[in-house]
Amino acid sequence: MSGLAIEVSVAPEYRTAESNDSESRFVFSYTVTVHNQSPHSVQLMARYWKITQGNGDSQEVRGKGVVGQQPLIGPGQRFRYTSRAILQTPVGVMEGAYTLLNTYTQRAFDVPIAPFRLAVPRQLH
């Protein structure tokens, strides 16, 4: 356990203009906020996502940082970014984890990201 208080929240949004139901292309953006509630700076080093389609198919995505950055987040600060996921079904679930580095101890630790639902609003589907 890292002993550091890091809160991750996610707000997904369906992107109607970029999606195409007849081509089974459902585009979602998601805005992630990482809030460092600890007394030490942390650096977001890597990401892991598991994306599960409504039909049960899933894929895993791993990479350095987020949106081309490995941001340093100071005590009490928030880092926010928006990315996207393209599904082949109108409903899916994403979950994952960030690997953060405690810049004080130089130790890496993982922060889980709770599952969140991606779904086309009922009135659109």
Side-chain angles (χ1 to χ4, degrees):
M1 180 66 185
S2 67
L4 297 182
I6 308 295
E7 178 184 302
V8 178
S9 60
V10 184
E13 182 181 339
Y14 179 60
R15 310 295 293 183
T16 307
E18 299 167 51
S19 299
N20 187 324
D21 194 352
S22 65
E23 294 178 6
S24 295
R25 177 184 163 89
F26 303 93
V27 180
F28 298 88
S29 64
Y30 54 93
T31 300
V32 179
T33 303
V34 181
H35 184 194
N36 180 3
Q37 299 172 320
S38 76
H40 302 292
S41 293
V42 296
Q43 187 169 11
L44 200 163
M45 303 302 292
R47 71 186 179 283
Y48 162 76
W49 289 112
K50 180 179 179 186
I51 304 165
T52 304
Q53 308 269 346
N55 62 9
D57 289 350
S58 67
Q59 73 180 82
E60 295 185 357
V61 178
R62 297 177 191 274
K64 287 176 69 172
V66 291
V67 293
Q69 302 178 53
Q70 289 182 311
L72 184 66
I73 309 167
Q77 292 184 335
R78 288 177 171 84
F79 174 76
R80 179 175 289 136
Y81 74 95
T82 300
S83 191
R84 64 187 55 232
I86 301 171
L87 275 59
Q88 297 168 343
T89 61
V91 175
V93 175
M94 283 182 69
E95 61 188 297
Y98 291 141
T99 299
L100 300 174
L101 178 70
N102 178 334
T103 60
Y104 180 72
T105 64
Q106 293 299 301
R107 289 199 173 130
F109 62 98
D110 290 336
V111 174
I113 302 165
F116 59 95
R117 190 167 189 250
L118 303 172
V120 174
R122 194 170 287 254
Q123 67 271 22
L124 296 178
H125 189 67

